[in-house]
Amino acid sequence: MNHLLRIAIASTLCIAGTTRAQITLTSVDAGHLTSDHKSNGGVSMLDIDGDGNVDILVTAGYDVSKKPERQPSRLYWGDGKGHFTLDENNALTNAITYGSGSTWADLDNDGQLDAVISCQLGSGSVLARGIGNRRFEIIDASPVHTDKGNAFSSVFADIDSDGAIDLLMCNNAYAGPDVSFLYKGDGKGGFTRMSGEVAERKSSTGGAYFGDLDGDGKPDLFMPNNSGRAALFRNTGDWKFIPATINGLDANPFPASGSSWVDYNNDGQLDLSIACAQGGNALLFKNVGGTLEPAPLGDAALFSTNAGLIQWGDLDNDGDLDCIVPNWGAGSFIYQNQGNGTFKRIALPGFTDQVFYTSSCALTDYDNDGRVDVLLGQWPVRPGDGELTKLFHNDTKNPANWAKVKLKGTASNRAAIGARITVRATIQSAPVNQLREVNAGSGFRSQSDLTQHFGLGDAKQITEIEIRWPSGKAQTLKNQPTNQVLEITEPT
């Protein structure tokens, strides 16, 4: 594997007399990972085995230009130094499927991550239970498998705050409208299918996303729709979801494909970003006291897209989140956060001007250098060079500091899905508060690491870390070091 074979791509941006960091992404030759021509349904880039190093699962996909054929997924174990080794004998990859994305959480709270691979064409999705030592057990008797949907992706959340992970299987993203499958988890890996507004609504749903819009501790839900209107639901407790409105959304004539909840302006509230396929603009809605309103974007609002998802990460470690809009059949977009609520589109030759067929994207620091890297999964109509998975290393050269926060739940679910982390630090002589929610199912057909990354600019110390656990417990840590992984366990 020639990890050193790279093509550097970069962009410099100057704003109001201040030179912002030169974001540099480098295309990496990662051996089999980036040369394999099998169909790519989705990508996940996270620490699967708990050794502190990021691993990768590339799910199966299939050739949509002919009669579909089931394919295996590919699992790569990372060494934390940029090398990935293909695991050719694993129950997770021996499950031959019409695969799409994969989603990860600790479903039975045993300390091992489990996975759901969303599968299309009525083949039944895959529930894989982690049993330790990098091995998995496939649970064929689960309704996740026996309920034969056309699942393009899935998303986990602890909907009722009982410490057990629940599941939404998103059906028919690019097909005719149908219901998605909503399941209540029992905390032991078992699921019971639920009814109600969310479960009975017919739509073409792909990248649904849970996030606590109003800060009440209960995860709310946005459901995109490629065949009609998208829907926002407020979680009022006891498995009841109430339809809510998004000001200005109906003015968008293009279908919503993928979504992400993100605090882009560091005001302590989750905002909603939406990817629109078929030529629509990427959308961003600002959270104003629990109500969503169109956000001013600067030049980010000027460019049409064909994007199934949208992703966020602090690419320059300056303390605010930058945005990647990966396009299908076109160059992708990168918007650098200006720190004032607006964005600037930047050019990265070899990334933004290269045609990719991106259907999945994960952002994670795969080599433990404190910088967020980018993995693109491609799914073109016909296999070929456009099928290849693309890995980009973040070579941004700046003295910016960082921290990563890894949570372990006790009363909450073990993977801390739904936990809110606020990191406070002084950056460029100003107090900055950054909010993240731990999520499982990132954007659409994708999963990024459960460990949360924070850029800290010139801050030499974190003033405070505040955690609101899914159980409702609150925890505060003061005066924490930078440039480290901080592992935090929920207090008993």
Side-chain angles (χ1 to χ4, degrees):
M1 180 181 302
N2 186 4
H3 177 64
L4 299 178
L5 180 58
R6 299 175 175 175
I7 304 171
I9 54 182
S11 175
T12 303
L13 180 66
C14 296
I15 301 171
T18 300
T19 301
R20 284 190 174 270
Q22 184 182 41
I23 293 177
T24 305
L25 298 179
T26 301
S27 180
V28 176
D29 175 2
H32 189 275
L33 171 66
T34 54
S35 62
D36 181 35
H37 278 271
K38 290 187 177 68
S39 292
N40 184 327
V43 295
S44 291
M45 184 164 61
L46 71 162
D47 181 6
I48 294 173
D49 57 0
D51 67 352
N53 302 320
V54 166
D55 313 299
I56 292 174
L57 180 71
V58 180
T59 51
Y62 55 89
D63 182 354
V64 299
S65 68
K66 63 179 184 179
K67 183 178 179 180
E69 297 178 358
R70 297 172 188 257
Q71 297 193 65
S73 299
R74 280 85 69 202
L75 177 60
Y76 302 89
W77 300 109
D79 66 357
K81 300 176 182 178
H83 303 96
F84 293 95
T85 302
L86 176 66
D87 186 339
E88 299 186 84
N89 184 24
N90 196 296
L92 184 66
T93 56
N94 290 339
I96 311 300
T97 66
Y98 300 117
S100 191
S102 64
T103 308
W104 296 80
D106 187 350
L107 302 178
D108 50 9
N109 293 322
D110 67 348
Q112 307 293 333
L113 284 184
D114 313 299
V116 168
I117 299 178
S118 307
C119 297
Q120 299 179 33
L121 304 181
S123 57
S125 294
V126 174
L127 174 58
R129 177 177 175 265
I131 56 177
N133 296 318
R134 296 182 168 180
R135 314 322 291 171
F136 294 88
E137 176 187 11
I138 305 303
I139 312 299
D140 287 333
S142 171
V144 173
H145 177 70
T146 57
D147 290 344
K148 307 289 187 179
N150 188 26
F152 281 72
S153 65
S154 63
V155 59
F156 291 127
D158 185 357
I159 292 172
D160 50 6
S161 302
D162 65 349
I165 289 293
D166 311 303
L167 169 66
L168 177 68
M169 300 297 303
C170 302
N171 287 325
N172 282 31
Y174 293 112
D178 201 351
V179 297
S180 291
F181 300 154
L182 182 64
Y183 299 97
K184 175 177 171 56
D186 64 4
K188 301 176 182 179
F191 290 99
T192 301
R193 191 164 165 186
M194 304 294 286
S195 59
E197 176 100 23
V198 168
E200 295 165 8
R201 179 179 182 268
K202 285 193 173 183
S203 66
S204 301
T205 299
Y209 215 94
F210 284 97
D212 188 357
L213 168 64
D214 48 16
D216 66 353
K218 297 185 285 289
D220 307 300
L221 174 65
F222 178 74
M223 295 183 71
N225 188 355
N226 268 308
S227 62
R229 289 186 177 182
L232 173 66
F233 293 95
R234 291 186 185 272
N235 183 347
T236 61
D238 196 26
W239 283 87
K240 294 179 180 177
F241 288 90
I242 305 300
T245 59
I246 300 176
N247 295 330
L249 180 61
D250 287 346
N252 173 51
F254 298 96
S257 301
S259 61
S260 293
W261 293 99
V262 59
D263 182 12
Y264 77 92
N265 55 0
N266 289 339
D267 69 350
Q269 301 180 98
L270 287 183
D271 312 295
L272 178 64
S273 61
I274 302 174
C276 295
Q278 305 175 30
N281 290 331
L283 304 175
L284 182 61
F285 293 89
K286 181 180 178 181
N287 187 337
V288 182
T291 300
L292 293 171
E293 300 178 354
L297 294 177
D299 72 355
L302 301 179
F303 301 94
S304 62
T305 69
N306 189 19
L309 75 159
I310 190 167
Q311 291 287 34
W312 297 81
D314 191 349
L315 297 174
D316 49 13
N317 275 350
D318 65 351
D320 47 42
L321 290 168
D322 308 299
C323 179
I324 294 181
V325 183
N327 277 313
W328 192 95
S332 296
F333 300 153
I334 293 182
Y335 297 106
Q336 191 170 29
N337 196 323
Q338 304 300 286
N340 60 1
T342 64
F343 298 83
K344 183 72 175 180
R345 185 184 179 193
I346 61 175
L348 297 181
F351 188 94
T352 59
D353 63 353
Q354 171 126 7
V355 173
F356 296 128
Y357 296 91
T358 305
S359 62
S360 55
C361 173
L363 273 60
T364 304
D365 176 15
Y366 72 77
D367 60 347
N368 298 320
D369 67 353
R371 293 171 291 192
V372 175
D373 310 301
V374 181
L375 181 68
L376 299 181
Q378 300 193 84
W379 197 348
V381 173
R382 292 176 176 83
D385 287 341
E387 197 82 33
L388 297 177
T389 302
K390 298 290 185 179
L391 181 63
F392 294 89
H393 184 262
N394 188 339
D395 284 325
T396 302
K397 293 179 173 60
N398 64 345
N401 296 308
W402 55 272
K404 290 188 281 187
V405 179
K406 182 178 181 179
L407 300 183
K408 175 183 174 182
T410 54
S412 303
N413 68 89
R414 184 73 172 260
I417 305 301
R420 280 195 162 201
I421 307 168
T422 301
V423 166
R424 299 184 173 93
T426 298
I427 302 175
Q428 295 293 321
S429 301
V432 176
N433 301 332
Q434 300 182 61
L435 171 68
R436 305 280 191 275
E437 265 196 6
V438 181
N439 62 76
S442 308
F444 182 28
R445 289 174 168 159
S446 312
Q447 173 72 61
S448 298
D449 203 3
L450 300 176
T451 298
Q452 301 299 301
H453 171 275
F454 295 83
L456 293 169
D458 63 350
K460 294 181 171 56
Q461 186 180 56
I462 298 171
T463 306
E464 184 177 80
I465 300 176
E466 181 181 297
I467 303 166
R468 191 194 70 190
W469 295 89
S471 65
K473 292 181 180 179
Q475 184 176 8
T476 301
L477 296 86
K478 296 189 180 288
N479 302 324
Q480 297 297 308
T482 62
N483 303 324
Q484 295 189 45
V485 180
L486 302 169
E487 299 188 12
I488 303 171
T489 299
E490 181 179 13
T492 56

